[in-house]
Amino acid sequence: MASDAVEIGLRGSVVRDPEQREKQRREILSAAARVFARKGYETTTMVDIAKEMGVSKGILYYQFRSKQELIVATRRQASGSAADRLEEIVARPVPVTERMQAALRDLITTNFDEFARHVILITTNLGLDAEHTAIVREIERRYEHLLAGLLREGIADGSFVDADIRLTTFTLIRAGQSPAIWYRPGGTLTPEQVVSGVTEQLMRSVLTPRADAS
């Protein structure tokens, strides 16, 4: 009689409940993202993340071999999800100006997402070796290429100002991520006001006078 398939953990032990392991993995990623956002990558330790979860660091090492592997996993989830959402926005059958506005709103909203904030606050190469930096950059380039494609489409049909696409792409991304640095809860602006206000400003920066007036 054939035996049931089993999954082997990182340290060679049998994983008897894959669903529980996946749930634990998600909890680790959430805790790591919070700590990375608060303390930065270099000063964060696996012990810090374990304390955030209320578990021993052995639980973390059961799922991840190193802190580098862990931050790549958090960034893959956050940046990968952002690229998935942008891909869906780009494919919508509506004018390019509406799609750009939706893309910028989504980008700016990530400033207020607890999981995504660490992507904004930590540079990709800070403390990472070349192999792990390359993995993260590959994920981020997908987002950049999608946003650049929107710009290219808008320039071609006269909706957007004819400017250097690479320069504009990175300017929009950095400006859209800036509230994570300067926004403080309890101030005069609500998160929704920040999202709407920054979206409007960035849209004005790319729209041609003709498109802006329409």
Side-chain angles (χ1 to χ4, degrees), residues 36-205:
F36 286 143
R38 286 200 309 268
K39 300 189 63 174
Y41 174 74
E42 288 190 315
T43 58
T44 293
T45 67
M46 295 292 263
V47 172
D48 293 329
I49 298 168
K51 286 182 178 178
E52 181 80 8
M53 290 183 65
V55 300
S56 70
K57 67 178 181 179
I59 297 295
L60 274 62
Y61 282 113
Y62 175 72
Q63 300 260 14
F64 300 95
R65 294 181 177 87
S66 66
K67 187 174 69 168
Q68 289 197 94
E69 187 175 285
L70 180 50
I71 197 170
V72 167
T74 62
R75 295 182 82 103
R76 177 180 283 121
Q77 180 169 321
S79 299
S81 295
D84 289 343
R85 295 193 304 273
L86 181 55
E87 187 171 45
E88 184 276 323
I89 291 170
V90 169
R92 292 176 186 174
V94 296
V96 68
T97 53
E98 292 183 28
R99 283 177 281 147
M100 178 59 79
Q101 184 175 42
L104 293 175
R105 281 193 64 88
D106 183 79
L107 169 65
I108 299 159
T109 299
T110 62
N111 289 280
F112 305 99
D113 181 272
E114 185 179 60
F115 189 87
R117 279 175 58 83
H118 80 284
V119 174
I120 300 172
L121 296 172
I122 302 174
T123 59
T124 58
N125 61 350
L126 185 61
L128 296 178
D129 62 25
E131 178 184 358
H132 289 87
T133 297
I135 294 171
V136 172
R137 283 297 297 132
E138 182 179 358
I139 299 166
E140 294 179 342
R141 284 192 189 97
R142 179 178 164 226
Y143 185 96
E144 293 159 7
H145 290 163
L146 286 165
L147 189 60
L150 265 185
L151 284 168
R152 192 173 289 108
E153 181 181 346
I155 291 171
D157 76 2
S159 297
F160 299 154
V161 175
D162 188 359
D164 185 273
I165 290 176
R166 188 168 185 271
L167 183 152
T168 307
T169 297
F170 286 112
T171 298
L172 290 176
I173 291 173
R174 293 307 180 196
Q177 293 175 334
S178 66
I181 299 171
W182 56 259
Y183 178 79
R184 294 294 179 270
T188 58
L189 296 174
T190 66
E192 175 54 32
Q193 287 174 322
V194 171
V195 172
S196 296
V198 177
T199 299
E200 290 174 9
Q201 289 193 27
L202 293 183
M203 283 299 296
R204 285 197 295 268
S205 75

Side-chain angles (χ1 to χ4, degrees), residues 19-30:
E19 289 186 6
Q20 177 61 26
R21 182 182 179 213
E22 181 56 31
K23 177 176 180 292
Q24 186 181 75
R25 178 184 174 86
R26 291 195 298 269
E27 291 171 350
I28 292 171
L29 292 178
S30 294

